[in-house]
Amino acid sequence: MFKRPLCEMASGLILGILFMRYQKWYLAAVAAGILFGIVWNLWHNTIRNCIEKDSMANARAWIYPAFRVGCFLAFFLAGIFHFAENEAFRQNYMSKLQDGMQVTVQGKLCSKQLKNGQYSYYLDHCYLSIGQEILPCNQILFYQTSDDDSIGQTLIVTGTVELWKSASNDGNFDAKAFYESKKIDFQLKEAIVKNVYGAEDGFGEKIYRLRRKISGVYESCMSTSDAGVLSTMTLGEKNLLDAEVKQMYQKAGISHVLAISGLHISVIGMGLYKLLRKIKCSFLTSGVIAGTVIGGYGMMSGLGTSTIRAVLMFFVLLFGQWIGRSYDTLSALGLSAIVILLDNPYLLWYAGFLLSFAAVLGIVAVGQTLIKIKKPFFTFSENFLVSFAIQLATVPLTAYFFYEVPVWSMLINFFVLPIIGVLLFLGLLGGFVGLLSVRVAGILFVPCHWILVFYEKVCRLSVSLPGAVWITGQPDWQKLLLFYLILGAVLFAMKKMKQRRGFVFIGCFMLLAVWHNPVKGFELDVLDVGQGDGMYLHTKEGTNFFFDGGSTDVSKVGTYRMLPFLKAKGVKKIDYWIVSHTDADHISGLKEILQAEYEIDHIVFSKYVLNDEAYQELLALAQTYGTEILKMDCGDTLTDGEAGLRCIFPDKTYKSDDKNALSLVLRYEDQEFSGIFTGDISSAEEQYLVEHKKAGSVTFYKAAHHGSRYSNSRDFLMALSPEITTISCGENNRYGHPGEEALCNIKESGSAVYETMECGRIRIRMENGEPVVEKFLEGR
């Protein structure tokens, strides 16, 4: 880095942004360390030599080092002020916005996408009208059912503000962080375009229409599955992409081929540039034509972050060719980072930005360093080393953002990548030819079809291999930092020793350390699943329990809340999944998780569970996915070392035809902690438990029936006298949960009360024999 001023500037900018965001002393210390490294390197390689050779050169000897030092400091300060300016700009209007507020926005239509049958419209250069105030603001997103407006036109839109929601459980998609990283602070619901004026951006609109037409060619000439993949891969048009195919590519570890990135730019841009040079075009002519084509292609594919990075680096390469200078990948990468972050500093927290830059750094900083080192007697191929270097650089980030990694991805990419160029070339050629002749395009798409069939077979084979996807859990940022520091130290040592023997073994060991993030000790998590229930319990002995799991107001709660939580925690399987009863708000997520083929050893019901349609459906799913069914009678206990989970209700004497009334009630006890899990029982069942002396004092109480006023009776709570009570319910639910009477009874029992709709995920751990409660949304 110390020989590349652009990399130094990019480092200064990044550290300045981070310092302003977190205001931690150690970030300033890192900046000071880099500055010291720059000065030390310049002293040994420039200044001292000039001083020793010629006294007349002394003055000139200080100019270049002073410039380098000044640039680093300037970009560090630029990062600080740039981030502060963006934060102040955002806060100026966000502090005045609320969910449901009616506003008017004026902005220029900068891009649009077709997705799920409606058009996403993005406005930039926006002005927001709030009451009598008109404030400039970042981008706005809203949806339209028809595509009546053109890119470049100015739109005046009225609608209802919907602020992005933060994640409320570990591992869940954080819409607020995701969209804010793209400078889209809110969306307008029920948006109505009141006025349109101004000229359209002719080039931008034509590029958009061209993309839609080529996507239509794919759709008319190919199967829906093939058209979806090819449209996504070549155009960034995801409207046709089948969710199952996307998931298959992700599990196999080749989903990167679906994103427009450096791979696409190098195949298309360099292919065209080399062709033009072969037919004797000048450097300038070849560069202008190839650059124009790639710039237009980048715009047509949506200009994602990785696309912008790749296009900028390609422009640097073309410029270097024109002026006769050699191309340095790291310098081009540094320049790209500066350009992108000066436009939007929030992208520094965007997974796409980090993974894109990490992949290039893996190729250059790791892969090329290893290739240059003297080869030992036994060595790996250069292609293997580069591929392994990319994995080393990106897999820790993949684990951090997605909590699982495809184990066989490097092997699969050996089969996939060599023919990706053919697929892209024929796919794009067929798309353009199809605008003139669909029949000729169909011929060009035949090889594309067979390549995609090959990809599908390779993916399905990889997914069927043992341990195809490894659930890693989310490593903390300290572990990631330590990983990259050790990686840098190992590379430095091997470069000094001029040998790379053992690097692959060391790298694999380091990756395994990042992949291993188990839950430690006792932990109870009450998830925010909206109007429903879902609780995870990890015992000291390492057994994983899950209680219920469903919702009536959160769609796909298992897919988007429960399963990501388990993966983020590094939970590879559930030993016992407890089903209190089979209402949808207790099992809808469980069904999704079974269908996702997540490993569940046992599903536990009450012996007296009602044999209805929902129960039969769960039995069928359990049988399909190899999950054993257990039934508990009153007095039965699941033991785990010193801990036990005992059934205390219902028993054979209690008769009812109501699902809620026959909820499985369990009591958990170990040396330090006790808790009662009540399902949806009512005050009648609670009275039964009191009368039969089964309601002894507990540390933890899961409020019955989401805090209903028809449950959580005073006598029951006085008998339990819980220290901690959690209520799982959705915001503004139609049942009025939790009821005021129930809340009064809980508080009168002396218990602290926590509600998922306010706290998000509620975690309970034991420290020094005392329960400690952690709220996910605390301080957010």
Side-chain angles (χ1 to χ4, degrees):
M1 181 180 77
F2 297 123
K3 296 180 181 179
R4 296 177 172 86
L6 284 170
C7 292
E8 295 166 2
M9 296 174 197
S11 300
L13 181 66
I14 290 169
L15 284 167
I17 293 170
L18 291 174
F19 179 76
M20 192 62 207
R21 171 71 180 266
Y22 299 113
Q23 298 186 6
K24 300 293 185 181
W25 65 268
Y26 49 78
L27 292 169
V30 172
I34 293 176
L35 188 61
F36 176 78
I38 295 171
V39 173
W40 181 268
N41 179 265
L42 289 169
W43 169 259
H44 280 274
N45 293 293
T46 305
I47 300 172
R48 191 171 62 179
N49 290 339
C50 289
I51 292 174
E52 291 173 354
K53 290 179 180 179
D54 187 351
S55 60
M56 287 296 296
N58 289 353
R60 291 194 298 270
W62 291 96
I63 295 175
Y64 179 61
F67 172 77
R68 293 271 294 273
V69 170
C71 282
F72 177 81
L73 289 173
F75 274 86
F76 179 72
L77 293 174
I80 291 174
F81 291 116
H82 186 51
F83 186 81
E85 181 184 25
N86 275 270
E87 280 287 275
F89 178 79
R90 170 178 279 169
Q91 191 60 27
N92 186 43
Y93 60 89
M94 287 301 293
S95 61
K96 301 171 184 178
L97 288 178
Q98 295 178 353
D99 265 326
M101 179 182 286
Q102 289 289 324
V103 297
T104 300
V105 176
Q106 173 186 297
K108 184 176 289 187
L109 182 58
C110 59
S111 67
K112 46 188 177 177
Q113 295 176 345
L114 175 62
K115 189 174 183 181
N116 299 326
Q118 59 182 353
Y119 293 88
S120 304
Y121 273 29
Y122 296 86
L123 303 182
D124 63 5
H125 300 96
C126 297
Y127 287 88
L128 176 65
S129 176
I130 307 174
Q132 300 299 313
E133 284 189 282
I134 298 177
L135 302 169
C137 65
N138 288 325
Q139 286 192 40
I140 305 298
L141 166 65
F142 66 96
Y143 300 95
Q144 296 285 277
T145 55
S146 59
D147 186 15
D148 299 324
D149 306 303
S150 299
I151 290 174
Q153 289 184 312
T154 298
L155 277 57
I156 297 177
V157 188
T158 62
T160 303
V161 171
E162 183 172 307
L163 301 176
W164 304 116
K165 304 297 183 185
S166 296
S168 56
N169 301 294
D170 310 75
N172 291 183
F173 173 64
D174 194 328
K176 187 173 187 289
F178 175 80
Y179 284 104
E180 285 187 353
S181 71
K182 292 174 170 287
K183 279 192 172 181
I184 304 172
D185 295 319
F186 63 92
Q187 65 175 328
L188 285 181
K189 303 293 285 186
E190 303 170 356
I192 299 173
V193 178
K194 291 291 188 179
N195 197 9
V196 180
Y197 63 91
E200 69 175 49
D201 177 356
F203 182 73
E205 182 65 20
K206 286 175 182 177
I207 285 288
Y208 166 76
R209 296 293 175 189
L210 179 62
R211 181 176 68 182
R212 296 290 308 127
K213 287 179 180 178
I214 294 175
S215 180
V217 170
Y218 295 146
E219 195 172 4
S220 62
C221 295
M222 309 178 79
S223 67
T224 303
S225 176
D226 286 354
V229 173
L230 204 56
S231 184
T232 304
M233 186 180 293
T234 58
L235 304 172
E237 186 75 33
K238 301 176 183 179
N239 187 53
L240 301 175
L241 184 62
D242 183 76
E244 184 181 349
V245 174
K246 179 182 177 181
Q247 187 179 45
M248 178 180 66
Y249 274 51
Q250 288 173 337
K251 286 185 176 181
I254 65 165
S255 60
H256 58 87
V257 303
L258 297 174
I260 311 295
S261 63
L263 176 66
H264 298 65
I265 301 304
S266 62
V267 167
I268 299 167
M270 286 309 299
L272 177 60
Y273 180 76
K274 289 179 179 178
L275 176 63
L276 292 169
R277 290 293 298 139
K278 279 187 177 181
I279 60 175
K280 306 302 182 181
C281 289
S282 67
F283 284 112
L284 179 59
T285 302
S286 301
V288 168
I289 294 173
T292 302
V293 170
I294 285 301
Y297 177 67
M299 290 182 64
M300 184 173 68
S301 61
L303 282 179
T305 304
S306 60
T307 309
I308 295 172
R309 189 269 306 159
V311 169
L312 287 171
M313 292 181 70
F314 183 69
F315 285 166
V316 172
L317 185 149
L318 294 179
F319 182 72
Q321 291 280 313
W322 178 47
I323 64 175
R325 299 292 296 271
S326 60
Y327 173 72
D328 181 71
T329 306
L330 284 177
S331 294
L333 189 68
L335 178 62
S336 300
I338 291 170
V339 172
I340 291 171
L341 292 175
L342 284 177
D343 178 63
N344 181 6
Y346 299 104
L347 285 173
L348 200 53
W349 290 268
Y350 176 52
F353 174 89
L354 295 173
L355 286 166
S356 177
F357 278 79
V360 179
L361 283 171
I363 294 170
V364 181
V366 183
Q368 294 302 319
T369 300
L370 292 174
I371 289 171
K372 291 175 183 177
I373 295 173
K374 182 180 177 181
K375 299 178 182 179
F377 178 73
F378 172 76
T379 187
F380 295 96
S381 71
E382 291 185 359
N383 286 339
F384 174 86
L385 285 174
V386 171
S387 181
F388 185 69
I390 294 172
Q391 297 297 314
L392 272 177
T394 58
V395 162
L397 290 173
T398 302
Y400 183 81
F401 286 109
F402 305 108
Y403 329 124
E404 60 183 5
V405 294
V407 174
W408 306 108
S409 62
M410 192 165 68
L411 175 64
I412 299 307
N413 277 290
F414 272 117
F415 297 98
V416 169
L417 294 182
I419 52 177
I420 187 70
V422 177
L423 180 60
L424 289 173
F425 174 75
L426 291 176
L428 283 170
L429 181 62
F432 281 100
V433 169
L435 299 175
L436 304 174
S437 171
V438 173
R439 182 173 297 178
V440 176
I443 296 171
L444 292 171
F445 289 145
V446 171
C448 295
H449 167 71
W450 289 113
I451 291 173
L452 291 174
V453 168
F454 173 70
Y455 280 7
E456 181 179 348
K457 290 187 180 298
V458 169
C459 288
R460 293 196 184 280
L461 175 63
S462 73
V463 170
S464 67
L465 292 173
V469 178
W470 181 275
I471 296 174
T472 63
Q474 185 179 48
D476 56 41
W477 68 267
Q478 293 95 334
K479 179 180 277 192
L480 290 187
L481 178 61
L482 182 62
F483 172 89
Y484 288 115
L485 288 174
I486 293 174
L487 177 61
V490 169
L491 283 172
F492 179 78
M494 289 190 166
K495 188 175 181 180
K496 287 294 182 183
M497 294 186 293
K498 297 182 179 181
Q499 67 89 22
R500 64 183 186 224
R501 184 178 287 115
F503 179 80
V504 172
F505 173 79
I506 295 170
C508 289
F509 179 79
M510 290 168 62
L511 285 177
L512 286 173
V514 171
W515 290 3
H516 187 62
N517 301 284
V519 184
K520 298 177 181 178
F522 171 84
E523 180 177 317
L524 173 62
D525 293 289
V526 182
L527 274 61
D528 176 19
V529 293
Q531 186 62 25
D533 264 329
M535 290 163 285
Y536 167 70
L537 171 65
H538 182 268
T539 70
K540 291 179 181 178
E541 301 295 327
T543 301
N544 294 308
F545 293 92
F546 207 98
F547 298 84
D548 289 324
S551 180
T552 54
D553 67 343
V554 176
S555 62
K556 294 195 172 181
V557 67
T559 304
Y560 296 125
R561 293 207 181 186
M562 292 158 54
L563 191 54
F565 167 84
L566 292 171
K567 289 181 177 180
K569 294 296 294 180
V571 181
K572 296 175 176 57
K573 70 168 186 174
I574 293 295
D575 298 291
Y576 299 95
W577 198 297
I578 313 297
V579 176
S580 66
H581 62 295
T582 57
D583 276 346
D585 60 335
H586 291 254
I587 65 167
S588 61
L590 168 58
K591 291 192 292 185
E592 295 169 32
I593 289 174
L594 282 168
Q595 291 165 342
E597 300 183 36
Y598 181 80
E599 188 175 354
I600 301 173
D601 285 346
H602 308 89
I603 294 179
V604 182
F605 295 97
S606 164
K607 183 179 179 180
Y608 309 102
V609 63
L610 291 181
N611 189 0
D612 60 1
E613 184 179 347
Y615 172 69
Q616 288 298 326
E617 185 180 356
L618 261 183
L619 285 186
L621 282 172
Q623 184 177 9
T624 300
Y625 296 105
T627 299
E628 186 179 350
I629 299 296
L630 296 179
K631 290 191 176 181
M632 296 185 76
D633 198 352
C634 189
D636 290 346
T637 302
L638 295 172
T639 58
D640 181 38
E642 297 175 346
L645 187 65
R646 180 164 54 91
C647 173
I648 61 173
F649 183 84
D651 57 30
K652 62 184 179 181
T653 64
Y654 198 87
K655 305 297 181 183
S656 178
D657 293 326
D658 180 29
K659 282 186 183 181
N660 291 344
L662 293 178
S663 290
L664 178 62
V665 180
L666 299 170
R667 182 185 179 93
Y668 173 85
E669 286 188 87
D670 61 26
Q671 285 186 326
E672 295 182 320
F673 181 88
S674 60
I676 187 167
F677 302 87
T678 54
D680 281 356
I681 60 173
S682 69
S683 56
E685 291 76 50
E686 292 172 354
Q687 186 62 34
Y688 184 87
L689 288 168
V690 172
E691 290 174 355
H692 288 75
K693 302 189 184 304
K694 295 179 180 179
S697 61
V698 291
T699 312
F700 166 80
Y701 168 56
K702 197 286 294 188
H705 206 165
H706 319 289
S708 168
R709 64 190 179 95
Y710 300 108
S711 307
N712 308 287
S713 56
R714 183 180 183 281
D715 289 346
F716 184 55
L717 282 156
M718 289 301 178
L720 293 176
S721 60
E723 295 180 48
I724 298 164
T725 298
T726 63
I727 301 175
S728 180
C729 58
E731 191 174 2
N732 300 319
N733 65 84
R734 60 191 178 93
Y735 307 101
H737 296 159
E740 286 297 328
E741 185 179 344
L743 284 172
C744 288
N745 291 338
I746 294 168
K747 291 175 181 177
E748 190 177 342
S749 71
S751 178
V753 185
Y754 302 91
E755 301 173 23
T756 57
M757 64 179 178
E758 295 179 353
C759 306
R761 182 268 298 139
I762 302 161
R763 174 169 297 152
I764 302 171
R765 288 196 176 105
M766 299 299 293
E767 293 183 7
N768 301 319
E770 295 295 325
V772 176
V773 178
E774 173 195 324
K775 298 176 286 185
F776 188 81
L777 296 181
E778 189 170 27
R780 291 187 173 221

